[in-house]
Amino acid sequence: MNHAFFCGVLLVDKPAGPSSFAIIARLRQLFAQQTGLRPRELPKLGHAGTLDPFATGLLPIFVGPAVRLAEYFLGAPKRYEGVIRFGAATASGDCTDPVIRTSAVLPAARAIIQTAADTFVGDTYWQRPPMHSAKKRDGQPLYVLARQGVEVERAPVACTISGFTITAYSAPEARFQVACSAGTYIRVLAQDLAQSLGTVGMLTALRRVGVGKFDGVAAWTLEQIAAALAANQPLATLPCAVPFDQLLDHWPRIAVDAATARALGMGQQHVLASLQWPEQPAPHVALYHADALLAIAVPTAAGWRCARVFTAARS
């Protein structure tokens, strides 16, 4: 069976309840059950951005050597849809905690909420990370301190909201869609929106529908993936699988010949000087040989160099 040797990304549709780490643990369990491999023989797994346990939707899981590419997706923009309830607030900002504050003030119409939402779009949005988050203070996750009743100062973080649409409103709940930079807390955005409207608010539902180039429409549930494994379907053939060599096809790319590919595989980076590099500035360029991803090149003051070279066999 070839499941354990798939290299790429599985687009998983995360359910409400388990953490992102629990999804990875469940996939490892599925791989072990269907392949008979021991834990140390299983491929490495990683993700490029957690989802809160109560949230659902797209969770890209990097499999095998593709884990080395996860860092290039951590900063990818995200897209969400969800529901804000006005007039009630919890400590966490979502529906997993008891309501601790209420307000009789509710927005009168969807248009009023949309006008307020528009003020968050475009310019830098400074957001204070919530105490109920995985961010750390002196090595301690903030959510651990929050559970102890401790609150510490958190420096505001610059975020960008590129789109924020209120799609429906039936008091006290509004449905929304938002596109934002990585690291934006939608729980905090909902609270800040409510505050701008003179009330309080919380999330009652949140679903991630996009991460950079990945679209949640292609994501499969764990149950669907488990059924495919049980039917002995190779992971690479599943609609929710993105092969390693396609992960960076949205980047600027350069095709290199066999001699250059061999030289780079042996660490001979001087051959980069002979390549035709993009005229427009780019933070990364993907190098391919015979449509296989060979390396990631980055610009330096002295010219281009390879930050990553991939020589392992992939399937």
Side-chain angles (χ1 to χ4, degrees):
M1 298 178 71
N2 295 323
H3 301 308
F5 304 110
F6 168 71
C7 179
V9 167
L10 291 178
L11 303 179
V12 176
D13 187 346
K14 176 192 167 303
S19 66
S20 300
F21 177 79
I23 297 298
I24 287 180
R26 176 57 178 151
L27 277 175
R28 289 181 61 83
Q29 183 182 49
L30 288 174
F31 289 174
Q33 289 173 347
Q34 297 300 325
T35 64
L37 295 173
R38 291 172 290 183
R40 63 183 177 84
E41 296 174 320
L42 293 172
K44 292 182 178 180
L45 299 179
H47 60 73
T50 60
L51 268 177
D52 288 340
F54 95 101
T56 66
L58 179 60
L59 184 66
I61 302 296
F62 291 74
V63 183
V67 169
R68 298 173 65 193
L69 294 181
E71 65 179 280
Y72 298 102
F73 291 83
L74 285 170
K78 311 294 193 297
R79 302 188 306 280
Y80 298 89
E81 58 187 28
V83 178
I84 303 171
R85 177 179 298 166
F86 296 104
T90 64
S92 62
D94 61 52
C95 56
T96 60
D97 282 342
V99 172
I100 58 174
R101 291 189 305 280
T102 60
S103 171
V105 177
L106 296 177
R110 186 191 67 83
I112 293 174
I113 306 173
Q114 184 63 65
T115 298
D118 289 342
T119 65
F120 291 87
V121 178
D123 296 333
T124 299
Y125 160 48
W126 291 95
Q127 186 184 78
R128 193 177 303 278
M131 280 299 301
H132 289 261
S133 71
K135 282 189 175 291
K136 294 184 178 181
R137 176 71 173 267
D138 298 328
Q140 187 86 300
L142 291 180
Y143 67 81
V144 173
L145 299 175
R147 290 171 183 170
Q148 298 170 354
V150 177
E151 182 163 352
V152 297
E153 284 295 319
R154 289 96 64 202
V157 176
C159 303
T160 301
I161 308 298
S162 54
F164 193 1
T165 303
I166 307 303
T167 57
Y169 178 54
S170 178
E173 292 189 336
R175 293 188 173 275
F176 68 89
Q177 296 175 341
V178 65
C180 59
S181 58
T184 303
Y185 288 92
I186 308 302
R187 290 176 286 140
V188 176
L189 177 61
Q191 292 170 325
D192 290 345
L193 174 65
Q195 184 178 20
S196 73
L197 290 163
T199 186
V200 296
M202 56 183 271
L203 289 181
T204 59
L206 182 65
R207 182 171 180 79
R208 188 158 68 187
V209 297
V211 176
K213 65 170 282 181
F214 302 130
D215 194 320
V217 172
W220 274 25
T221 65
L222 287 177
E223 290 76 17
Q224 288 175 302
I225 294 173
L229 287 169
N232 201 26
Q233 289 182 252
L235 288 175
T237 67
L238 302 184
C240 65
V242 184
F244 180 88
D245 294 314
Q246 295 178 17
L247 293 179
L248 301 183
D249 59 8
H250 58 300
W251 283 15
R253 64 182 286 167
I254 294 176
V256 304
D257 58 25
T260 301
R262 284 195 299 271
L264 290 177
M266 293 185 290
Q268 299 174 9
Q269 299 212 22
H270 67 275
V271 297
L272 296 176
S274 63
L275 300 181
Q276 187 68 40
W277 296 96
E279 295 182 1
Q280 298 298 322
H284 307 94
V285 170
L287 304 183
Y288 287 79
H289 171 62
D291 289 327
L293 178 60
L294 173 68
I296 293 174
V298 297
T300 70
W304 289 82
R305 69 173 181 84
C306 285
R308 297 273 190 184
V309 177
F310 308 102
T311 56
R314 312 175 193 101
S315 59

